[in-house]
Amino acid sequence: MVVSAQSRDAWLDVLQQLMPQGMAWSRDNDANQTKLLRALAKHLAELDASCDSMAREMLPNQTQILLEDYEQHLGLPECENASETITDRRQAVVMKDRRKGGLAIWQIEQLAADLGFDVTVEEIFPHHCLRNCMYPLHPERYRHVLRVTVHNLPNARMTCLDHVLTPLVSNNAGILECTLNRYKLAGKYYEFIYEQQEAN
């Protein structure tokens, strides 16, 4: 059921009914008290009319007026991943607001996918006497390191044919590394491996 907003005259009538009765409280159109109440009624009518739009502001996927407040509350933008359009900013708010957290491998891969990256996360376990003798012997550092392989990232690495000022990691990759490191489990680290983009 949709309730339409009340007009200025309707709000004026309400305000006048709330005033005391008597000759000192004139309700004539030209009375000073009526002029004052009419000005207040105008603001009440505007506020009443804006209630529908304000109800939309309660949902992050529809917000516009309170978008900056949502961003400040959620700590956005992250890692210099600033979006310029309202739609992109709103999408970033929704994504972070709905993020449930968790640092399982599939959740890390999902977070990277939400950022637009195709990654594979591998947890490397140390060798022990119950493992197969063919299990590789990894360095001790891998006890606390997750290997993140980034697939099909253009210009992921510099070659001998590139200009000397070519960055070793692209700006996009920097956003990925910054975001994952921001949410990593304490005492754990990432090793990022960038695969060459597949030739078409």
Side-chain angles (χ1 to χ4, degrees):
M1 177 178 168
V2 178
V3 179
S4 60
Q6 299 297 317
S7 66
R8 184 192 66 176
D9 291 338
W11 278 107
L12 175 60
D13 183 55
V14 170
L15 292 174
Q16 285 181 329
Q17 290 182 39
L18 293 173
M19 300 302 292
Q21 302 289 326
M23 295 180 64
W25 307 94
S26 174
R27 298 189 182 189
D28 294 337
N29 284 335
D30 294 335
N32 289 334
Q33 175 181 284
T34 304
K35 292 178 182 178
L36 174 64
L37 294 179
R38 188 177 290 117
L40 295 174
K42 177 186 176 188
H43 291 296
L44 289 172
E46 291 172 353
L47 181 62
D48 197 6
S50 68
C51 283
D52 289 340
S53 63
M54 291 307 293
R56 289 194 299 270
E57 293 295 321
M58 295 172 61
L59 302 173
N61 61 339
Q62 296 181 4
T63 185
Q64 187 163 355
I65 299 171
L66 298 178
L67 182 57
E68 289 186 10
D69 295 312
Y70 274 107
E71 288 176 331
Q72 183 178 5
H73 172 69
L74 295 170
L76 293 171
E78 292 180 322
C79 299
E80 300 180 1
N81 189 17
S83 302
E84 296 183 2
T85 66
I86 295 292
T87 304
D88 290 342
R89 290 171 60 196
R90 191 182 293 134
Q91 184 178 356
V93 165
V94 171
M95 187 179 78
K96 186 161 185 187
D97 184 57
R98 293 181 180 170
R99 190 181 299 159
K100 297 189 188 310
L103 294 167
I105 287 177
W106 69 270
Q107 291 169 318
I108 298 170
E109 292 175 346
Q110 182 61 51
L111 174 58
D114 290 341
L115 293 170
F117 295 91
D118 177 22
V119 305
T120 303
V121 181
E122 181 185 1
E123 188 171 6
I124 301 173
F125 297 100
H127 199 298
H128 55 73
C129 61
L130 297 178
R131 292 199 186 279
N132 187 298
C133 63
M134 299 303 292
Y135 189 85
L137 296 173
H138 295 288
E140 180 65 23
R141 68 187 177 93
Y142 280 111
R143 180 179 288 273
H144 304 289
V145 172
L146 295 176
R147 182 182 290 164
V148 179
T149 304
V150 185
H151 308 286
N152 300 323
L153 183 69
N155 304 320
R157 62 180 74 163
M158 186 176 78
T159 69
C160 61
L161 300 178
D162 289 321
H163 190 273
V164 69
L165 295 178
T166 300
L168 293 175
V169 176
S170 70
N171 290 337
N172 289 340
I175 292 170
L176 172 68
E177 291 189 17
C178 175
T179 304
L180 292 187
N181 280 317
R182 184 169 183 157
Y183 293 103
K184 70 181 176 64
L185 190 65
K188 293 289 185 181
Y189 303 93
Y190 293 117
E191 178 183 71
F192 292 92
I193 299 173
Y194 295 93
E195 288 186 346
Q196 280 290 77
Q197 186 177 21
E198 296 177 1
N200 293 329

